[in-house]
Each structure stands twice: as structure tokens, then as C-alpha cells.
Amino acid sequence: MVEYAKNAHKRGIKLIIAAAGGAAHLPGMVAAITPLPVIGCPVALRVLDGVDSLYSIVQMPRGVPVATVAINNSTNAALLAVRILGSSIPKYLDKMVKYQTNMNEEVLVKVDKLEKVGWENYQK
């Protein structure tokens, strides 16, 4: 882990997503070693439903930032990574804009259905 994090930028890696459960040391340890952005994804285990993991990742000391997403939400970790990379890679930014447009259109379809059938019948 130390060698991977320390040398990731030399291999062309632009950011690291690190998932961890329980005491969730991995994202913080990686962030302490690498100069790259680190996104932590807390994983729910049997105890505390992932809240322990969340706290372990977000409570890093000053100088060791770890961007953190919701418990068990690796999708948002990936989307955040695309946004970060998209700030300097135009094709990623374009794909994010298309993704957001599609999401908006899906929501509007659902709103229309909800208005037509009512909330009681929406899921039927």
C-alpha cells in the first residue's frame, strides 16, 4: 500500500478511490502518503452500519484531506472522480454534462408519471 500510494503519480495515476470498512484506515493512510487527490468510500460492515467507517475517513487531521462520499456509495466516488478529472480533461467534462442531462430527463419523466398516477399508485 505504501509503495502503491507513494509512486501512483509517477505511473500516471491522477487520483485514488479508496474504500474501507470498520476503522477504515486505508483512505487516510493513502492520503498521507500520496500527493494525489484521494476519495474515501466508507463501507458498512456489521457494526454501526458504516458510521464508524465514515467518521474514520472524514476525521483526518489538517493537512491530510480525503474527499468522502456516503456510506456504500461507490457510484458517487466514481462520479466525483470524473468531475475532478473533467476539470482538466474536456472529454470527461462533456460526458459528465451528458450524464447530468440524462439524469434530469429521467427525473422529469418520473415527475410526470407521479403527477398523472398520484403517489399512491406510483410504484404499482
Side-chain angles (χ1 to χ4, degrees), residues 40-60:
C41 185
V43 177
L45 299 177
R46 294 178 191 206
V47 180
L48 299 176
D49 292 325
V51 174
D52 52 341
S53 305
L54 175 66
Y55 287 164
S56 293
I57 297 171
V58 299
Q59 293 291 10
M60 290 303 297

Side-chain angles (χ1 to χ4, degrees), residues 3-102:
E3 287 305 312
Y4 181 87
K6 190 189 301 185
N7 296 309
H9 67 286
K10 295 175 185 174
R11 295 190 311 278
I13 293 171
K14 302 296 182 200
L15 61 83
I16 297 172
I17 298 174
H25 295 92
L26 183 63
M29 290 175 67
V30 169
I33 297 168
T34 188
L36 299 173
V38 175
I39 301 171
C41 185
V43 177
L45 299 177
R46 294 178 191 206
V47 180
L48 299 176
D49 292 325
V51 174
D52 52 341
S53 305
L54 175 66
Y55 287 164
S56 293
I57 297 171
V58 299
Q59 293 291 10
M60 290 303 297
R62 184 171 293 127
V64 187
V66 179
T68 309
V69 297
I71 298 165
N72 290 339
N73 201 334
S74 58
T75 299
N76 274 359
L79 290 170
L80 179 57
V82 171
R83 287 177 180 212
I84 291 168
L85 295 171
S87 68
S88 62
I89 303 172
K91 73 177 184 178
Y92 289 0
L93 184 63
D94 293 342
K95 287 182 182 281
M96 180 53 65
V97 169
K98 288 178 186 171
Y99 176 82
Q100 289 178 298
T101 300
N102 289 340

